[in-house]
Amino acid sequence: MELKEQILKILEENRGNSVNGALMAKELHVTRSAIWKNINQLKNEGYQIEAVPNRGYCLKESNDILTSQSISPYLKGKATNFILDVRKTVSSTNTLAKEMAANKAPEGTVLIASEQTNGRGRMGRSFYSPATGLYLSLILRPKLSIEDSLLITTSSAVAVAKAIEKITNEDVHIKWVNDLFMQGKKVCGILTEASLNIENGGLEYAIVGIGINVNTKDFPSDIKDIAGSIFLDKPKNQPITSILAAEVLNNLADSMDKLTSKDYLEEYKKRSFLIGKDIYVLKEKKVFPAKAIGIDNRARLLVEYPDSTKEALTSGEVSIRTDYLPK
């Protein structure tokens, strides 16, 4: 760990309280000048650090820059075993995580960023990812068949919904299979990608990508009527993005252990707002009117077409009228 990271770790552990520069220098076996130099580098990177005369350096409670040091204090239980790789800007957390997984990165590696320059959504769409969001991808190596891989996305949706609800005290609803809505606006998208192990017919690895609009205010014209943020104004006296990231990871750690038990499915169904609605099923570049009639125990969306035939959807896209969105 570089000196700057060691200093940041100490400041994070004492967030809101002053840390004596001389004592810090003694603990890290460096000069006070080296401490001062690195503190200034952190300030130049945007960290809100106050120099308090005769007391030392204080990382303000309001500092909300994502780092492994800012997230780690809020991790609990099995989530403390995650390997965090936090970066300011990336092309796409999923793209990079797939490369890392292919190069044998261990299960539990999490790539986290504050901004994506080439964010990706389902069906090959781009995912708007400005520096006002939270974007993370978790590498998994689950013992699942390809048929059950949908359980990863749906369990992740419940995990993230619960995290957002805890942070905002607002209800979060799920549009099958991977979109989270709050107050009638989409605030989160989830993209799960996997590599198949040909020998055993299971998954070599899976990447769960999660993008949350934390406090984005200006959306592009093509999505401004449907997209929203979990906050219009972030709380100013706490590192809310770091707390949110940790809460998502805490819930994911719990849910990934319960995939095959499917304990979460009832909660997923309760949060779904498609059931009973007239929808359009988009597949093979064609649009089919249907009605959503349920979600089965494999997390498939059950639909009924006008000719009374029924189908269990494992993939594809569905759309609804905007007046069906939960307010």
Side-chain angles (χ1 to χ4, degrees), residues 192-210:
T192 301
E193 300 180 284
S195 176
L196 182 64
N197 186 318
I198 302 299
E199 291 185 3
N200 61 26
L203 302 181
E204 181 72 26
Y205 62 79
I207 309 296
V208 181
I210 297 164

Side-chain angles (χ1 to χ4, degrees), residues 131 136 139 207:
L136 65 87
I139 296 176
I207 309 296

Side-chain angles (χ1 to χ4, degrees), residues 14-295:
N14 295 274
R15 180 185 283 262
N17 298 304
S18 297
V19 182
N20 184 277
L23 293 178
M24 204 184 314
K26 183 177 181 181
E27 178 180 342
L28 298 176
H29 306 290
V30 296
T31 64
R32 293 186 64 179
S33 176
I35 297 293
W36 175 82
K37 179 180 178 180
N38 280 273
I39 289 288
N40 283 337
Q41 288 180 5
L42 289 170
K43 286 182 178 179
N44 290 335
E45 293 173 12
Y47 290 91
Q48 299 174 11
I49 301 173
E50 183 179 15
V52 183
N54 301 318
R55 297 181 64 183
Y57 302 103
C58 175
L59 181 65
K60 293 184 178 180
E61 294 280 4
S62 57
N63 185 80
D64 196 27
I65 296 178
L66 280 173
T67 64
S68 59
Q69 293 86 357
S70 70
I71 297 169
S72 295
Y74 303 101
L75 295 177
K76 301 175 183 177
K78 294 181 180 179
T80 58
N81 296 322
F82 284 143
I83 304 166
L84 305 187
D85 183 343
V86 185
R87 310 182 192 186
K88 182 177 181 181
T89 303
V90 299
S91 57
S92 159
T93 58
N94 256 37
T95 298
L96 295 178
K98 285 171 66 178
E99 294 174 1
M100 295 163 69
N103 289 319
K104 308 304 181 184
E107 181 173 55
T109 300
V110 189
L111 180 59
I112 304 173
S114 302
E115 180 182 27
Q116 295 182 124
T117 58
N118 191 26
R120 297 187 296 109
R122 294 183 74 236
M123 313 296 285
R125 299 189 184 97
S126 63
F127 187 88
Y128 185 57
S129 314
T132 47
L134 168 64
Y135 316 100
L136 65 87
S137 293
L138 169 63
I139 296 176
L140 299 171
R141 298 189 182 277
K143 295 179 180 178
L144 284 179
S145 66
I146 191 67
E147 290 80 10
D148 285 333
S149 59
L150 192 60
L151 298 175
I152 299 174
T153 303
T154 49
S155 63
S156 297
V158 172
V160 179
K162 291 167 64 176
I164 294 175
E165 284 186 344
K166 183 174 180 179
I167 296 297
T168 65
N169 292 317
E170 298 282 351
D171 291 336
V172 177
H173 303 273
I174 300 172
K175 173 179 170 287
W176 186 91
V177 61
N178 67 325
D179 292 336
L180 271 56
F181 281 71
M182 194 172 80
Q183 297 183 344
K185 299 285 188 177
K186 177 182 172 179
V187 297
C188 172
I190 299 171
L191 175 64
T192 301
E193 300 180 284
S195 176
L196 182 64
N197 186 318
I198 302 299
E199 291 185 3
N200 61 26
L203 302 181
E204 181 72 26
Y205 62 79
I207 309 296
V208 181
I210 297 164
I212 303 173
N213 302 327
V214 179
N215 72 322
T216 305
K217 295 181 175 63
D218 298 316
F219 291 95
S221 58
D222 60 329
I223 62 171
K224 68 178 183 180
D225 292 333
I226 194 71
S229 294
I230 65 172
F231 293 112
L232 290 179
D233 294 296
K234 287 195 302 182
K236 298 188 183 328
N237 295 321
Q238 54 184 320
I240 198 66
T241 310
S242 296
I243 294 172
L244 174 62
E247 194 61 32
V248 168
L249 293 176
N250 289 337
N251 291 349
L252 284 175
D254 288 339
S255 65
M256 290 306 127
D257 275 348
K258 302 172 183 175
L259 281 177
T260 54
S261 71
K262 305 177 184 178
D263 290 344
Y264 70 92
L265 267 178
E266 283 307 310
E267 187 164 359
Y268 184 90
K269 293 175 184 179
K270 289 177 183 177
R271 292 177 183 275
S272 173
F273 58 85
L274 287 187
I275 310 306
K277 302 292 193 298
D278 292 322
I279 64 173
Y280 292 99
V281 177
L282 286 67
K283 57 181 181 176
E284 299 175 354
K285 298 183 179 180
K286 295 181 181 180
V287 179
F288 303 88
K291 175 171 280 190
I293 58 175
I295 295 172

